[in-house]
Amino acid sequence: RQDNSKVINTILRLLLVKEEMKAAVARVSKHVQYDAENNVVSCLFCQICNRESPGTIYYEDDSYLVFQNIRPAATCHLLVVPKTHYQNINALEVVGQSMGRQNFSAGSGVFDADNMLHVKVMKDMKQFARIGFKNWLGEYKQSHPDEARSQALSDDMDLQYCFHVPPYNSVDHLHMHIIAGVSLNLRRNI
C-alpha cells in the first residue's frame, strides 16, 4: 500500500510538471514556441545555432550561421540565420528604424542609414551567404564533380538571395535563402 502511494504521488508530480510546461508555452507559431508574454521559449533555428538540433553548417561566426536547408529548392539552398532571434524581416526593420531614430535624437545630428540595424544585418547576411556558398561549393565539387561541372557552379556565379515576407515565412526566425544551381520542385519546397 505504501509503495502504491509513492507511485501515485510520483505520477501526480509528473502530471503537474507537464501541466506547468504546457502553461509556459502559450502558443506555437511556425516552429517557434512563445510564452504568455510573447517571449520565445523555443525556436528551431535557435536550437540549430546552439547545436541543440542537427544542421549541416557551412559558415559560422559570433553573429550568424549558414546551414543547408532541409528541403532544398535547388542544388544549393542554404539559409543565413542571425543568432539573435528576430521574428522576421518586419521585426528587424522596426528594431533597426527605432535604433536609428534613437541615435539621431541622441545628438549625432546625422541619420546614418548604413548604421541602422536592419541595413547592417542585411549586408552582413549577404556577405556571409557568399562565404557559406563557397564552403558548400568546395564540398559539393569534391563529392559531385560531374554535377558541379554540368551546372556550371562556380565561386563567382550569381546567387539568388531572398526572404519570405510574413505571412509566407516558414519559420518565425529571420532567415535569408541563398539559392544556386538547378532548380528543384519549387512549389513543393519553399
Side-chain angles (χ1 to χ4, degrees):
R1 202 172 259 245
Q2 205 169 11
D3 287 338
N4 286 342
S5 67
K6 285 182 181 181
V7 170
I8 291 171
N9 283 336
T10 302
I11 291 171
L12 290 173
R13 275 196 307 267
L14 289 173
L15 289 173
L16 181 62
V17 168
K18 185 177 177 182
E19 288 303 312
E20 288 172 354
M21 289 175 66
K22 279 185 188 177
V25 177
R27 69 181 178 93
V28 176
S29 174
K30 300 179 181 184
H31 303 282
V32 178
Q33 296 176 348
Y34 297 92
D35 66 15
E37 286 80 40
N38 212 30
N39 298 309
V40 175
V41 173
S42 177
C43 166
L44 174 64
F45 286 174
C46 290
Q47 290 171 350
I48 293 171
C49 289
N50 295 326
R51 303 299 196 282
E52 296 164 2
S53 289
T56 305
I57 298 168
Y58 290 100
Y59 177 78
E60 178 177 15
D61 72 1
D62 293 339
S63 303
Y64 298 92
L65 195 71
V66 180
F67 57 91
Q68 180 73 41
N69 190 315
I70 61 169
R71 293 183 359 193
T75 305
C76 176
H77 188 163
L78 306 176
L79 301 173
V80 181
V81 176
K83 290 182 176 180
T84 300
H85 185 95
Y86 299 103
Q87 185 176 14
N88 56 47
I89 193 164
N90 294 340
L92 181 65
E93 289 180 11
V94 168
V95 170
Q97 290 170 359
S98 172
M99 288 177 70
R101 281 192 294 275
Q102 288 171 1
N103 291 340
F104 179 77
S105 64
S108 69
V110 178
F111 189 76
D112 185 0
D114 286 336
N115 287 327
M116 290 174 49
L117 179 66
H118 66 291
V119 174
K120 179 185 180 331
V121 169
M122 299 303 164
K123 286 180 179 180
D124 287 350
M125 289 177 87
K126 191 170 180 181
Q127 172 190 343
F128 299 132
R130 180 58 70 177
I131 295 168
F133 172 73
K134 287 182 179 184
N135 293 341
W136 172 87
L137 184 59
E139 287 184 24
Y140 191 78
K141 282 181 174 180
Q142 285 184 336
S143 60
H144 301 85
D146 295 335
E147 291 92 339
R149 264 193 306 282
S150 71
Q151 294 181 42
L153 296 172
S154 66
D155 285 347
D156 59 350
M157 71 183 299
D158 287 334
L159 302 176
Q160 295 177 20
Y161 306 97
C162 61
F163 292 94
H164 292 288
V165 177
Y168 305 106
N169 53 323
S170 55
V171 177
D172 269 353
H173 184 128
L174 178 67
H175 58 283
M176 175 191 282
H177 294 258
I178 307 110
I179 300 173
V182 173
S183 179
L184 304 175
N185 185 352
L186 278 171
R187 182 172 277 163
R188 176 181 62 87
N189 293 312
I190 287 192

